[in-house]
Amino acid sequence: MISKLGQVMVYVDDQDKAVKFWTEKAGFSVIFDGGSEEMGIRWIEIAPSGDSATTIVLHDKGVVSKMSPELDLGTPSLMFYTEDVESLYADFKERGVTTGELVDMGVGRSFNFADDEGNYFAVMQPNQ
């Protein structure tokens, strides 16, 4: 029986650029930055500050595609939750993050945003 989602793999073109976006613009923290020199692979594990129940692992798309050419390296659709969507929206705008419109989804207010590689994600404040 599966008990929880531990990690989500996100494959990026530039790991340093990606970690800079997630830490400086989205407020995440680095949990781990390392890898295997023998395998020539590095991974960076990040999580929303104060929450590491489910983490995102940033992998180098080029390295992974050589190691496992059968993998789908597309960006997963991720929905993040927040307790104050309006403040987060304003903060992302102020930090220069590409954002969509703030909309009411019926089950909560939401907006999408893009990282610096053009991968889109969403964030929502669910209705109480």
Side-chain angles (χ1 to χ4, degrees), residues 37 84 88 110-111 119 127:
E37 286 186 34
D84 188 350
L88 183 62
S110 176
F111 67 92
N119 300 306
N127 292 337

Side-chain angles (χ1 to χ4, degrees), residues 34-79:
S36 169
E37 286 186 34
E38 292 174 0
M39 295 177 65
I41 190 167
R42 171 186 178 210
W43 59 89
I44 306 162
E45 188 173 2
I46 60 172
S49 294
D51 178 21
S52 59
T54 301
T55 60
I56 295 174
V57 179
L58 303 170
H59 283 285
D60 184 301
K61 191 181 290 187
V63 171
V64 173
S65 70
K66 288 178 186 168
M67 291 176 57
S68 301
E70 73 282 2
L71 288 182
D72 179 355
L73 302 180
T75 304
S77 294
L78 301 179
M79 173 67 80

